[in-house]
């Protein structure tokens, strides 16, 4: 089983897999929407999770959101996910 967080994709592969361009990936990084891992030589490497995030960014752009709106949506989605994990780890409440 491949670790989904393991950065294995070069920037050109990540761009192709997510349906965008290398220039867009660099712009998303500059705007803080994405933070790829780097090799010792400074080459960007992307994980499966990064590619999924890139696909989500593209979907939100296609829906008409700007970069600030996308950043807010992604932040809220992460918070919801964290809360879901927290709730799932708590024992069920009984009675009132």
């Amino acid at each position: 089983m491949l670790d989904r967080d393991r950065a294995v994709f070069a920037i050109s592969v990540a761009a192709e897999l997510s349906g965008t361009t290398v220039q867009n990936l660099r712009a998303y990084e500059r705007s803080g929407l994405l933070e790829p891992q780097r090799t010792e030589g400074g080459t960007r490497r992307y994980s499966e999770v990064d590619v999924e995030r890139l696909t989500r960014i593209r979907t939100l752009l296609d829906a008409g959101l700007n970069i600030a709106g996308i950043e807010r949506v992604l932040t809220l989605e992460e918070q919801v996910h964290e809360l879901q994990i927290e709730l799932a780890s708590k024992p069920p409440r009984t009675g009132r």
Side-chain angles (χ1 to χ4, degrees):
M1 183 172 165
L2 185 65
D3 180 5
R4 292 174 19 84
D5 290 317
R6 185 168 173 236
V8 295
F9 302 116
I11 191 168
S12 59
V13 174
E16 184 176 340
L17 290 171
S18 62
T20 191
T21 66
V22 169
Q23 293 83 359
N24 284 341
L25 269 64
R26 290 184 180 122
Y28 301 154
E29 183 180 357
R30 281 192 304 274
S31 67
L33 291 177
L34 187 67
E35 190 173 335
Q37 295 178 27
R38 300 271 184 159
T39 65
E40 288 183 19
T43 303
R44 292 172 179 89
R45 290 284 184 238
Y46 297 84
S47 68
E48 186 178 335
V49 171
D50 291 330
V51 171
E52 289 172 2
R53 185 176 180 93
L54 286 165
T55 302
R56 182 69 177 131
I57 290 168
R58 182 177 161 92
T59 300
L60 293 169
L61 281 168
D62 290 347
L65 274 72
N66 63 18
I67 296 296
I70 291 170
E71 183 177 16
R72 186 68 181 136
V73 167
L74 294 175
T75 298
L76 289 170
E77 288 177 345
E78 289 170 7
Q79 290 172 349
V80 166
H81 180 71
E82 290 169 9
L83 289 170
Q84 288 171 331
I85 291 170
E86 183 181 330
L87 285 173
S89 69
K90 291 185 177 187
R93 290 178 55 178
T94 58
R96 288 199 147 206

